Amino acid sequence: MNFNKTYAAGIVLLSAVIFSAYQKAALPGKSGDPVFDNLDPSVKPGDNFFLYANGGWIKRNPIPNAYSSWGIGNVVGEDIRERLRQINEGALKANAAKGTTTQKIGDFYYSGLDTISIEKEGTNPIKTQLDMIDRAQDMKGILAASANLSQYGVRSIIGARVGQDEKNSVKMMLQLGQAGLGLPNRDYYFKTDARTTRVRTDYQTNHLPTMLRLSGRDADRAAKGAESVYKIEKFLADSTRKLEDLRDPYRNYNKMTVAKLNKLTPAINWNDLFREMGYKPVDTVIVGQPEYYRAVNKALTTFSIDDWKAYLRWKTVSAYASYLNKAFEDESFRFSGKVLAGRKEQLPRIKRVTDTENQLMGELLGQLFVKEYFPQASKVRYNQMVEAMRQSYREHIAKLDWMSPATKQKALAKLNAIHPKVGYPDKWKDFSTLEIDRVSYAGNVMRARHWAYLNNINKLGKPVDHTEWGMTPQTYNASYSPSNNEITLPAAQFMIPGIKDADVDDAVAYGYAAASTIGHEITHGFDDQGRQFDAKGNLKSWWSKLDSAKFTQRAQMLVNQFNGYVVLDSLHINGKATLGENIADLGGIVLGIDAFKKTKQYKEGRKINGLTPMQRFFLGYALGWLGHTRDEALANQILTDVHSPGFLRVNGPFTDVPEFYTAFNIKKGDKMWLDPDKRVRIW
């Protein structure tokens, strides 16, 4: 397509105007020290270490209206967005050949900023899908429509994907999990506290009918359709597992033949449905939650065709609302952004488009990102840090007084087998079949989602690709895969905005990166879930019964500790649901301490800005959780997330660590004091 210089100039001007929104909060501050500048000296370290470490920054940086929280992740995110903006602007001007990475990046960006065309399109980008739903005459037609929609990112009653067989990690299997809900999880349909009730009421009486009306239904039909949608979702929610119950890998592993699955759900012919979904013929599937699919079967015979048409229409417009006209986008934000997360206003459009592009085409952007922003020296530093943490873990396992020699040997074998992916992939995904143009923003999103869907289903029956990354290099996050027994550590996760990696002292780096990220992810291989997988990534018992019992006893102490934390109103931390993350936090800290003790900086003991090396280590860890959150988002997190809020990911595990008490002279009577016999020690 020819490059429209006049319109592109308008987009570039728009980008320049919005550029000011990219200016990040100061981090670090005047001294250039990423931990000293954040301190709040008015808070005693022993009363609330999180606020002592981060309170100065929090006071200077209120949550912007467009965000539900604001902290280190957001500041890194703003830095990354600005770098991606520069990549996008360059691609926009390049007039690159069709099919090239630069053409796809530039054209996607262009289509997202072309609000004139987006407004003119209205619901046309999803008209084919809506018409297909309207044509359904029976339940076979409803299931066929659901199967088709799933290929374009519309998640309805069937939660299917291809993934590794947890008991045979070399095989890629078709797997079914619970799906179908519009609210964040089952608790939103049943909890009766005032906060959750307000969300549920808005959803039923405001959000659902508004979205259906925007899709083309008159007010009466939209209201009736909203009732149908909610009835179906609540029915399914009643047979949906709770957050903590999804963390039991054995209970959520139910392998069965397709013939048995057909008997479980006689209203569904799975052979036909899988074919409609584009899967190769299969004879066996893994079903995570059989009771959910029994409920789906009953729902198909309980609710009317018109009920299901309303439900699928809602799922379709909900999945694409953010990429349609302003009315759709505004209502989607009003509920998801304001009601659920407490945000006051939307992000500028340029940021929303960049975020969407990053989600859908992240590795295309990532190839350009790492060339500019992640030097080889950083990759070397963090690979070395991985090995330092691995060695620390070896030493900890060897010294354990509660684990038998036989189990220790197997634990060491698993630890040694963990494969680290650091910085960026050695092999990039092939996006050559993805077509991107300047005609339709929603159309580009639809094709990108379909590309991702095909990328997943085509793995069925093929060998596991251990070179593939599940995150992009510019992602501020990290992960552990139990089936691959590997950790993924993207380049962005190591970034501290405003300071070069080479200028970050080891004390801060070992707290910020080694403890809170590398050690955390390695420990996931040995948390309450990860420990149930062996060195090859198979769900298999490799612990002695006595060792397992001792581990469970220690883990229960951590459950009890976190159950006791009241976060908001009457909302407590769910110690069982957050156990894996809490174990990994504590493990990362204790491993990081001993790895740091081997460094030159620790041994020399020199203070920087009046802070000892060990104090800087703890402050570096706290820096990883710097930030604050709106109450609405915090309530949502407590109900839906297996991670504790950031302030408790600092204050919680620190109370279990002896070196913390020594470093900051914590005494009995201080608020964070925990008697030694109540301190949890697992690793």
Side-chain angles (χ1 to χ4, degrees):
M1 182 176 292
N2 291 330
F3 187 63
N4 185 331
K5 293 184 179 179
T6 303
Y7 190 74
I11 291 181
V12 173
L13 176 61
L14 173 65
S15 301
V17 170
I18 299 176
F19 173 72
S20 61
Y22 279 92
Q23 303 309 301
K24 55 184 177 287
L27 182 70
K30 292 181 180 180
S31 77
D33 184 336
V35 294
F36 177 77
D37 292 331
N38 298 330
L39 295 177
D40 183 351
S42 69
V43 179
K44 284 182 61 178
D47 285 348
N48 187 331
F49 188 82
F50 175 86
L51 280 182
Y52 163 74
N54 297 322
W57 185 92
I58 290 172
K59 288 177 179 178
R60 297 190 302 271
N61 293 275
I63 302 173
N65 286 339
Y67 292 83
S68 57
S69 62
W70 189 248
I72 181 71
N74 302 102
V75 179
V76 172
E78 292 300 287
D79 196 354
I80 292 169
R81 279 196 185 114
E82 167 53 17
R83 297 177 189 200
L84 296 182
R85 183 193 70 84
Q86 294 175 19
I87 291 171
N88 274 319
E89 296 291 355
L92 189 66
K93 300 172 186 177
N95 199 18
K98 184 173 176 59
T100 62
T101 294
T102 300
Q103 175 265 317
K104 291 174 182 180
I105 289 173
D107 283 5
F108 190 96
Y109 189 61
Y110 181 103
S111 71
L113 298 182
D114 184 3
T115 55
I116 295 173
S117 295
I118 292 170
E119 289 301 312
K120 286 180 179 177
E121 280 191 308
T123 58
N124 281 337
I126 57 172
K127 185 178 185 302
T128 299
Q129 286 72 30
L130 296 181
D131 289 347
M132 174 186 63
I133 295 167
D134 288 341
R135 287 195 303 270
Q137 299 295 317
D138 50 26
M139 285 305 162
K140 184 177 180 180
I142 291 295
L143 286 170
S146 176
N148 180 277
L149 292 169
S150 70
Q151 298 189 41
Y152 298 93
V154 180
R155 190 173 173 87
S156 58
I157 51 174
I158 308 299
R161 68 177 183 89
V162 175
Q164 286 168 272
D165 183 338
E166 290 185 327
K167 291 188 177 181
N168 185 6
S169 63
V170 299
K171 290 194 68 175
M172 299 297 286
M173 294 283 295
L174 179 54
Q175 309 197 22
L176 297 175
Q178 63 190 33
L181 308 186
L183 288 169
N185 72 6
R186 72 178 310 280
D187 287 346
Y188 278 86
Y189 295 87
F190 302 113
K191 286 182 70 69
T192 58
D193 62 280
R195 191 181 300 278
T196 309
T197 300
R198 284 197 299 272
V199 172
R200 181 169 58 244
T201 300
D202 187 291
Y203 182 69
Q204 286 181 262
T205 63
N206 194 354
H207 185 54
L208 285 174
T210 299
M211 292 289 273
L212 290 173
R213 180 175 53 77
L214 290 172
S215 78
R217 295 293 185 240
D218 61 36
D220 289 342
R221 197 173 178 190
K224 185 177 179 181
E227 292 176 4
S228 297
V229 170
Y230 190 79
K231 283 191 302 184
I232 291 173
E233 290 185 355
K234 187 175 182 182
F235 183 89
L236 296 175
D238 194 46
S239 296
T240 298
R241 289 187 186 171
K242 294 182 178 181
L243 186 65
E244 58 267 33
D245 295 329
L246 293 172
R247 301 193 67 257
D248 182 339
Y250 283 98
R251 188 181 168 201
N252 289 279
Y253 182 97
N254 303 279
K255 184 182 285 189
M256 63 182 70
T257 63
V258 174
K260 184 176 179 180
L261 180 59
N262 281 328
K263 290 182 179 178
L264 180 75
T265 57
I268 304 174
N269 184 321
W270 287 95
N271 303 84
D272 290 347
L273 188 62
F274 289 147
R275 185 168 54 251
E276 292 271 6
M277 297 175 78
Y279 287 100
K280 300 171 185 176
V282 294
D283 56 12
T284 306
V285 297
I286 298 173
V287 182
Q289 301 80 33
E291 69 276 20
Y292 168 78
Y293 284 95
R294 281 193 291 268
V296 169
N297 183 79
K298 187 174 181 181
L300 289 170
T301 59
T302 300
F303 299 103
S304 71
I305 297 295
D306 284 343
D307 288 335
W308 283 108
K309 286 183 178 181
Y311 173 84
L312 291 181
R313 174 173 282 264
W314 150 245
K315 287 295 183 183
T316 303
V317 298
S318 175
Y320 280 91
S322 296
Y323 320 111
L324 298 174
N325 60 30
K326 188 175 186 298
F328 268 114
E329 194 176 24
D330 285 350
E331 174 55 25
S332 178
F333 171 76
R334 186 200 65 79
F335 182 74
S336 299
K338 291 184 176 181
V339 176
L340 277 177
R343 292 160 57 192
K344 308 301 182 185
E345 62 186 39
Q346 291 202 71
L347 288 169
R349 183 165 194 89
I350 196 170
K351 292 187 180 183
R352 305 200 301 272
V353 173
T354 300
D355 287 352
T356 300
E357 180 187 42
N358 200 20
Q359 292 162 10
L360 297 172
M361 300 159 52
E363 281 203 16
L364 282 181
L365 291 165
Q367 294 174 46
L368 303 178
F369 175 84
V370 296
K371 287 180 182 178
E372 296 288 335
Y373 304 116
F374 193 66
Q376 182 64 23
S378 294
K379 191 175 177 77
V380 170
R381 180 184 196 182
Y382 293 108
N383 269 308
Q384 291 174 343
M385 200 173 282
V386 168
E387 295 313 314
M389 293 297 285
R390 197 195 307 255
Q391 179 58 27
S392 178
Y393 212 158
R394 292 187 187 108
E395 294 166 4
H396 274 248
I397 291 172
K399 295 175 183 176
L400 290 177
D401 58 5
W402 58 267
M403 183 180 278
S404 68
T407 303
K408 283 183 180 181
Q409 186 176 4
K410 293 175 183 177
L412 288 169
K414 179 173 183 177
L415 174 64
N416 292 336
I418 290 177
H419 173 64
K421 294 178 175 178
V422 179
Y424 51 85
D426 295 320
K427 183 178 111 179
W428 299 95
K429 287 186 174 74
D430 180 5
F431 285 83
S432 60
T433 59
L434 173 61
E435 292 190 11
I436 300 294
D437 58 34
R438 299 192 173 195
V439 175
S440 170
Y441 182 42
N444 282 333
V445 171
M446 193 173 292
R447 285 190 294 275
R449 286 179 170 179
H450 188 53
W451 179 91
Y453 180 85
L454 293 177
N455 184 61
N456 178 255
I457 71 170
N458 287 336
K459 296 175 183 177
L460 187 62
K462 294 181 179 178
V464 176
D465 182 0
H466 291 286
T467 68
E468 183 178 23
W469 277 48
M471 294 182 175
T472 67
Q474 63 273 22
T475 299
Y476 187 72
N477 206 340
S479 68
Y480 170 77
S481 166
S483 293
N484 283 329
N485 194 27
E486 69 181 19
I487 57 174
T488 301
L489 309 166
Q493 180 61 27
F494 302 121
M495 292 173 59
I496 300 177
I499 183 170
K500 293 180 180 179
D501 183 68
D503 295 333
V504 179
D505 60 294
D506 275 345
V508 172
Y510 268 80
Y512 181 73
S516 75
T517 300
I518 298 170
H520 174 97
E521 300 305 339
I522 291 176
T523 304
H524 269 315
F526 304 88
D527 69 15
D528 61 311
Q529 275 187 302
R531 76 180 189 86
Q532 300 183 72
F533 294 79
D534 66 14
K536 294 182 179 179
N538 293 314
L539 186 58
K540 181 181 178 182
S541 177
W542 55 272
W543 294 57
S544 73
K545 289 185 179 180
L546 181 58
D547 290 335
S548 185
K550 289 180 178 178
F551 175 92
T552 301
Q553 183 181 28
R554 289 165 181 262
Q556 186 59 45
M557 289 179 65
L558 204 57
V559 172
N560 297 340
Q561 177 182 329
F562 276 80
N563 277 343
Y565 295 130
V566 180
V567 177
L568 190 67
D569 304 330
S570 60
L571 293 175
H572 286 246
I573 293 294
N574 185 333
K576 186 176 179 182
T578 59
L579 177 59
E581 298 299 330
N582 297 333
I583 289 174
D585 284 340
L586 179 57
I589 293 165
V590 298
L591 298 177
I593 287 171
D594 283 352
F596 173 58
K597 286 179 179 178
K598 296 178 181 180
T599 66
K600 179 181 178 182
Q601 182 181 3
Y602 176 80
K603 292 174 181 177
E604 289 181 346
R606 288 201 300 264
K607 292 184 178 181
I608 299 175
N609 285 323
L611 299 166
T612 68
M614 190 55 74
Q615 287 175 331
R616 292 181 66 79
F617 170 89
F618 284 107
L619 291 168
Y621 179 90
L623 175 65
W625 304 111
L626 176 148
H628 46 147
T629 303
R630 298 190 194 280
D631 287 353
E632 295 88 344
L634 198 55
N636 179 266
Q637 180 181 357
I638 294 167
L639 294 180
T640 65
D641 201 338
V642 296
H643 300 82
S644 300
F647 66 92
L648 284 175
R649 299 188 71 172
V650 175
N651 290 350
F654 277 10
T655 62
D656 296 308
V657 179
E659 287 88 346
F660 169 68
Y661 291 84
T662 302
F664 292 95
N665 196 29
I666 311 299
K667 303 290 188 184
K668 191 173 181 65
D670 289 339
K671 293 178 181 178
M672 288 186 63
W673 173 270
L674 196 63
D675 288 336
D677 63 330
K678 293 182 180 178
R679 296 175 194 170
V680 181
R681 179 176 175 265
I682 299 177
W683 298 109

